[in-house]
């Protein structure tokens, strides 16, 4: 019986399942989605940059909705961090192409 069910097995995807950090990078660079996926598949450092960008964007959104007195300062800091990480990701993609 199990042998008969093998023909119904779903094939493994060509790419690993996309995590939220890669989706965040693709949202920022939609025209380079394929390059993002390819580089992430082989470069652990690039994947770490993608995760850092997503974390920084998440923190920025949190600070934007904060009512704490340091809100504006933290927003500036996180916007600079997000921009810097996006620049690093762009540079990594440019080196690859």
């Amino acid at each position: 019986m199990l042998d008969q069910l093998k023909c119904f097995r779903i094939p493994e995807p060509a790419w690993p399942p996309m995590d939220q950090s890669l989706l965040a990078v693709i949202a920022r660079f939609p025209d380079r989605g394929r390059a993002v996926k390819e580089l992430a598949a082989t470069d652990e450092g690039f994947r770490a940059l993608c995760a850092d960008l997503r974390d920084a964007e998440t923190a920025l959104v949190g600070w934007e909705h904060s009512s704490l007195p340091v809100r504006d300062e933290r927003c500036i800091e996180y916007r600079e961090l997000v921009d810097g990480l996006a620049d690093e990701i762009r540079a990594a993609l440019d080196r690859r192409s």
Side-chain angles (χ1 to χ4, degrees):
M1 175 80 169
L2 288 177
D3 289 331
Q4 294 171 349
L5 295 177
K6 286 183 182 177
C7 65
F8 295 107
R9 192 173 283 167
I10 298 172
E12 292 292 319
W15 299 101
M18 191 114 37
D19 67 25
Q20 294 300 312
S21 60
L22 294 184
L23 292 174
V25 172
I26 291 170
R28 184 170 285 270
F29 303 105
D31 58 323
R32 302 183 86 177
R34 182 180 178 94
V36 168
K37 293 177 203 174
E38 290 173 354
L39 191 53
T42 60
D43 188 329
E44 186 176 337
F46 181 75
R47 288 191 304 271
L49 274 176
C50 294
D52 290 347
L53 176 66
R54 180 168 188 279
D55 291 346
E57 287 178 333
T58 300
L60 175 58
V61 169
W63 280 111
E64 288 173 339
H65 292 94
S66 174
S67 60
L68 293 174
V70 295
R71 173 188 180 269
D72 293 340
E73 294 169 41
R74 295 297 173 263
C75 286
I76 290 169
E77 291 170 359
Y78 275 97
R79 278 188 197 101
E80 289 174 357
L81 179 58
V82 165
D83 291 344
L85 289 165
D87 289 345
E88 285 187 59
I89 290 169
R90 183 181 299 107
L93 292 169
D94 289 346
R95 282 191 301 274
R96 189 181 187 291
S97 52

